[in-house]
Amino acid sequence: MTGAGRGIAARMRRWIGDAAAVPRPVLWVLGVAAVGQLVLCLRWDGVAEGQIWQGARIVCVAMMLAATLWIVHWRVRRTPGERRVWRVLGLALAVFGVSSLSTLILGLVPDLAHLAAVPSAVGTFIAFPLAFRAVVRWSRRSAGVDPDDLLNGFSSVFVAAAAIGCVLAWAHPADGQTLLLTTLSWGQQLTAAQSAVWVILVFSALTAASVSRLYRDVRIWLVTGAYALAGSSSAAAWFSDGARPGWTVAVWCVGLLLVSAAALRPVRFVPVAASDPVKSTVGAFVIVSAGVAVLVTALLTGVPAIVSLFAAAAVMGSSVRLLVNLHELLQLEASRAQALTDELTGTANRRALLAHLNSTLAHGTTTQLIVFDLDHFKEVNDGLGHGAGDDLLRMVTQRLQDKLPEGAVLGRLGGDEFAVVTTGAATGATLPALDEVFAEPFQLTQMSVHIDLSIGLAYWQPDAQAGIGLDAATLMRQADTAMYDAKRNDLRAVTYDPERHADPQGLLSMVGELRRAISTGQLVVHYQPQLHAGRPVAGRAGQLAGVEALVRWQHPRLGLLLPADFLPLAESHGLMDAITHQVLAQAVAQQAQWRATGRDIRVSVNLSAGTLLDASLPRTVDQLLAQHRVPATSLVLEVTETALLREPDRSLLVVEALRAMGAQVSIDDFGTGYSSLTQLRQLPVSELKLDRSFTVDLLTDPRAAAIVANTIALAHDLRLRVVAEGVEDEPTLAALSDLTCDETQGYLHTQPLSAQAFDGWLQRHESGAGLTSSSQVAV
């Protein structure tokens, strides 16, 4: 068997397999009706039959219709994706079946036989919108103002009825009469209108099959055949003066086609977009044109007035549809503009910028992409509120639009990140324009803010990069890489360099892994003890004063990573706040566990610069301490001089709030920043930590020794505790004790330990084991 033959056989098995699931009682009813109809067909002898035989025909038709509705209902329950289609089609079938049975019953009553055409015609008119809606819905998703396109459907019926009326009026001249009622009998008029309805339904089903992928589904052809069969039976009544020869057979066959369509398994296909304005607009235009043509013809030739009314109704209906389409097209244009526009600034968004970049690259134009973000924007948001941050973004946008060279496309990529696309000669004027825009501060409600930028540049030059495949996403990624390089190295602008930014160490992928690490608990906290130096408080030399919580990354592939391996990435990609909060949460939780064992251990936690400027930090810390029932006095929050002095007004408010709740604040790495004695006097801190760069050279550099001695004296005069970092040998420890340093921390005592290892170290230390070297500790 050929491949095509096997495919057909497989499809037939699928169809038969689905049809085999039809309930058995329905199949029995269908079988009895089929046998009865066959017997009645063989009984036909060309003469009028008695009422008994006609009644039997009606019973067979009724059984067929009942079985068909039963199977349609079964399909509705079995196929949720087509539930609307089959529900509406079943309702149309019910209306058509009741009207057909009424026609057959009236044919049995001699006095009412002349009214037999009325029920079928009325039923057809009622069933039309349902049957029309079924085929339209079958090929479309439900959406839009007129998803079933009923306006075009009714207009099509009117124009078809008008056209048929013209033909019939010419075929039956009325000696100058101007009304169709005097030209044709009312039965003929009903038949003509009914035929027009079926013609429209057949063509609608064919159109639905052609404009979508429904033509692959045999069921649409079965439904179309049912419409065509019902229509041909109605047309036959015209040529037989109202009689309906074979009407029962036709109705029975219509039901059989619909039974087959409902029993077969659906074919998967992707429907076209709902309420496609283009297709429906073309259809409406065709109907308006046809209606106008019929209307002009009727007025010029004296065709009966009702024909003109039908044509005018068709023109009006499709004209309304055109207005609806115009409204939909305007909405579509607005939606498209909204999809390509940043809501806050009104500039292009990432999607629009990528589309514009792809267009310029496709045309082979020299293209420059500049990506930049606003340094410390989060601090503006946190300190002054999101409203101030939004105002700042709008001000930046307005200034940029006024200063950028002609032809430059400005867009906001998200948050405080912007991009500018320039082509041709304008590429050289963009950076000077940025310098001019951000040279002046931005005046917000509360204060004047000066904004610095981190800028990344990427270029596409057709002559220099001919043959190199490059798309918008790649160019955007290159500019992003250059921008993060600028931020990481504290530079204003960096141009993408393939050799330098090829990411040989996988830094970009490392950022993604770090984001996952934060959310999946891969970050762990180790603890390094701080011991009393001995001289200030007699009898406490060597005793535990506290611990510092230090973050580590337990990488699933690379093992335990130290802060230097990932904190610079976190800083440049805005992840420091999340890391700080996680370390703070773990440290306080561990503090609570130690307190449960009877140890009240002071814990120091480093705060990032951005976290220190977060006005909600004191509330967060207070909630965390209350949750774990840890006193605030046992927590020390370490901040650097640079962070404290960057925005002293805002940092002072946060520090004062932390001190008010009882927490201690320590200035970390003291002596390495740009210290201000005035700020040091005003800030409510309780501890200074001497940077290890001073303690390491304490014994070899007299200047370092002088700085340490005077710093300790100054701190004590200000009633501050001094902790010396980086203590690695006994002589240095002795020298610090002689200088009355309060506490020491370093590898002389131990390296940072996990919580479990620290518990073991502390037990040995308290037992007097004399542990002084990190080499004696198993981590």
Side-chain angles (χ1 to χ4, degrees):
M1 181 182 294
T2 64
R6 286 193 296 270
I8 295 174
R11 183 173 295 182
M12 291 298 295
R13 285 194 296 271
R14 289 196 302 269
W15 287 344
I16 294 173
D18 210 36
V22 175
R24 292 293 181 272
V26 184
L27 297 178
W28 280 106
V29 173
L30 281 175
V32 172
V35 171
Q37 186 63 38
L38 180 62
V39 171
L40 291 172
C41 289
L42 295 175
R43 178 68 180 79
W44 176 262
D45 54 7
V47 298
E49 301 182 15
Q51 292 187 348
I52 295 179
W53 292 104
Q54 292 291 346
R57 290 180 183 276
I58 294 175
V59 171
C60 289
V61 170
M63 293 175 65
M64 165 55 74
L65 290 173
T68 305
L69 291 173
W70 196 345
I71 293 179
V72 169
H73 176 68
W74 168 80
R75 172 56 65 195
V76 168
R77 298 180 60 187
R78 191 178 180 86
T79 313
E82 296 181 347
R83 182 169 294 162
R84 295 181 181 180
V85 173
W86 287 103
R87 186 177 292 158
V88 174
L89 197 59
L91 186 57
L93 175 64
V95 173
F96 175 74
V98 171
S99 64
S100 298
L101 288 174
S102 301
T103 293
L104 294 175
I105 292 172
L106 287 179
L108 296 177
V109 182
D111 294 339
L112 300 177
H114 63 286
L115 298 177
V118 175
S120 64
V122 173
T124 299
F125 300 149
I126 296 175
F128 165 73
L130 300 172
F132 183 84
R133 179 184 183 187
V135 296
V136 172
R137 277 290 178 94
W138 207 344
S139 63
R140 292 182 174 180
R141 295 186 181 95
S142 175
V145 179
D146 186 17
D148 305 314
D149 211 11
L150 290 179
L151 281 172
N152 270 346
F154 281 112
S155 299
S156 301
V157 171
F158 281 125
V159 76
I164 293 174
C166 284
V167 173
L168 295 180
W170 292 335
H172 296 73
D175 298 329
Q177 298 293 331
T178 58
L179 290 177
L180 192 58
L181 291 175
T182 61
T183 305
L184 303 173
S185 67
W186 63 269
Q188 290 175 322
Q189 295 176 52
L190 282 178
T191 302
Q194 191 175 359
S195 299
V197 167
W198 290 114
V199 167
I200 298 303
L201 285 175
V202 170
F203 276 100
S204 299
L206 293 174
T207 302
S210 63
V211 299
S212 65
R213 299 179 183 177
L214 268 179
Y215 58 82
R216 301 179 181 179
D217 194 340
V218 70
R219 297 176 304 156
I220 189 63
W221 301 112
L222 293 174
V223 173
T224 304
Y227 289 171
L229 186 61
S232 61
S233 178
S234 298
W238 170 263
F239 299 100
S240 58
D241 294 330
R244 295 178 177 270
W247 178 250
T248 55
V249 177
V251 174
W252 200 91
C253 291
V254 168
L256 181 61
L257 290 173
L258 292 178
V259 163
S260 303
L264 294 179
R265 180 173 295 180
V267 175
R268 293 183 179 180
F269 78 104
V270 179
V272 299
S275 203
D276 187 341
V278 176
K279 293 184 177 67
S280 57
T281 300
V282 172
F285 181 76
V286 170
I287 294 171
V288 169
S289 301
V292 171
V294 172
L295 185 59
V296 171
T297 302
L299 294 176
L300 294 178
T301 59
V303 173
I306 195 170
V307 173
S308 301
L309 292 176
F310 278 1
V315 172
M316 291 180 62
S318 287
S319 298
V320 172
R321 181 55 174 152
L322 286 174
L323 292 176
V324 170
N325 285 354
L326 178 60
H327 176 70
E328 290 182 346
L329 288 171
L330 291 175
Q331 285 188 325
L332 182 63
E333 180 63 24
S335 299
R336 182 178 181 275
Q338 186 176 8
L340 299 175
T341 303
D342 176 63
E343 184 177 358
L344 178 64
T345 62
T347 60
N349 60 11
R350 180 180 291 271
R351 185 184 295 109
L353 282 171
L354 289 174
H356 179 69
L357 268 177
N358 277 324
S359 177
T360 58
L361 295 175
H363 286 83
T365 308
T366 299
T367 302
Q368 174 188 257
L369 172 63
I370 295 179
V371 174
F372 62 91
D373 70 357
L374 313 183
D375 293 344
H376 310 305
F377 174 76
K378 185 179 184 302
E379 299 167 9
V380 175
N381 252 352
D382 295 340
L384 303 180
H386 291 282
D390 291 346
D391 291 340
L392 177 59
L393 293 177
R394 294 189 190 97
M395 293 179 187
V396 168
T397 301
Q398 183 61 48
R399 283 197 194 178
L400 286 171
Q401 289 175 333
D402 294 339
K403 297 295 184 179
L404 288 177
E406 185 177 355
V409 176
L410 170 66
R412 177 171 172 245
L413 302 178
D416 63 322
E417 190 173 350
F418 290 83
V420 180
V421 180
T422 52
T423 57
T427 56
T430 306
L431 276 180
L434 290 178
D435 293 337
E436 184 179 355
V437 166
F438 290 94
E440 297 295 329
F442 293 86
Q443 187 62 46
L444 299 177
T445 303
Q446 294 97 327
M447 65 179 63
S448 179
V449 178
H450 188 88
I451 298 296
D452 293 323
L453 301 180
S454 297
I455 302 173
L457 298 92
Y459 289 91
W460 164 252
Q461 297 174 332
D463 297 334
Q465 297 169 282
I468 301 177
L470 189 68
D471 59 5
T474 302
L475 197 65
M476 186 75 73
R477 189 161 52 250
Q478 292 178 355
D480 273 335
T481 301
M483 183 191 71
Y484 286 124
D485 186 18
K487 185 180 292 292
R488 185 165 51 250
N489 294 290
D490 199 21
L491 301 173
R492 179 171 175 80
V494 171
T495 301
Y496 179 81
D497 182 356
E499 295 183 1
R500 187 160 64 93
H501 296 124
D503 195 26
Q505 299 176 348
L507 295 181
L508 293 180
S509 61
M510 197 78 159
V511 173
E513 294 178 0
L514 181 56
R515 293 182 188 276
R516 289 190 294 273
I518 295 173
S519 60
T520 57
Q522 294 178 19
L523 297 184
V524 297
V525 176
H526 284 197
Y527 300 91
Q528 188 172 36
Q530 299 167 336
L531 303 184
H532 288 289
R535 288 289 180 89
V537 183
R540 298 179 61 183
Q543 293 184 8
L544 181 70
V547 295
E548 181 180 3
L550 300 169
V551 66
R552 302 289 188 267
W553 179 4
Q554 190 63 56
H555 196 284
R557 177 171 48 86
L558 302 176
L560 190 67
L561 300 181
L562 298 178
D565 297 326
F566 61 90
L567 287 187
L569 284 177
E571 181 70 34
S572 61
H573 289 77
L575 301 177
M576 283 302 300
D577 283 358
I579 293 177
T580 300
H581 282 88
Q582 188 165 125
V583 172
L584 186 62
Q586 290 188 38
V588 173
Q590 181 60 49
Q591 227 177 343
Q593 293 182 21
W594 284 329
R595 288 178 61 81
T597 62
R599 290 190 175 124
D600 186 7
I601 299 177
R602 187 189 72 206
V603 176
S604 300
V605 179
N606 291 278
L607 297 183
S608 65
T611 307
L612 179 62
L613 299 176
D614 184 358
S616 64
L617 176 65
R619 183 172 63 255
T620 302
V621 172
D622 187 47
Q623 293 174 350
L624 193 60
L625 293 172
Q627 176 185 351
H628 293 283
R629 298 180 180 179
V630 173
T633 54
S634 297
L635 180 65
V636 179
L637 300 174
E638 297 185 4
V639 296
T640 64
E641 295 175 85
T642 305
L644 279 170
L645 304 177
R646 177 181 296 170
E647 294 191 33
D649 293 338
R650 291 175 58 190
S651 60
L652 179 61
L653 292 176
V654 175
V655 170
E656 286 178 343
L658 291 172
R659 287 288 291 164
M661 57 183 287
Q664 303 180 55
V665 178
S666 170
I667 300 180
D668 194 16
D669 299 335
F670 185 78
T672 61
Y674 297 97
S675 304
S676 169
L677 295 180
T678 301
Q679 295 293 341
L680 183 60
R681 178 176 61 85
Q682 293 177 347
L683 286 171
V685 298
S686 56
E687 177 184 279
L688 295 184
K689 294 193 72 174
L690 282 173
D691 186 69
R692 70 181 308 274
S693 61
F694 295 107
T695 58
V696 168
D697 298 329
L698 179 62
L699 301 179
T700 59
D701 186 350
R703 291 189 176 186
I707 291 175
V708 171
N710 284 280
T711 300
I712 293 175
L714 174 64
H716 288 166
D717 288 341
L718 295 174
R719 298 183 180 181
L720 301 179
R721 181 174 63 246
V722 180
V723 179
E725 296 180 301
V727 179
E728 299 181 357
D729 54 60
E730 290 286 355
T732 301
L733 175 62
L736 288 170
S737 298
D738 291 339
L739 294 174
T740 67
C741 180
D742 299 287
E743 299 171 7
T744 57
Q745 173 183 343
Y747 275 32
L748 173 65
H749 308 309
T750 180
Q751 65 183 30
L753 305 170
S754 65
Q756 182 178 1
F758 174 81
D759 289 341
W761 175 90
L762 185 57
Q763 290 178 1
R764 291 190 295 273
H765 183 77
E766 291 175 341
S767 66
L771 190 63
T772 61
S773 174
S774 62
S775 62
Q776 297 175 274
V777 181
V779 181

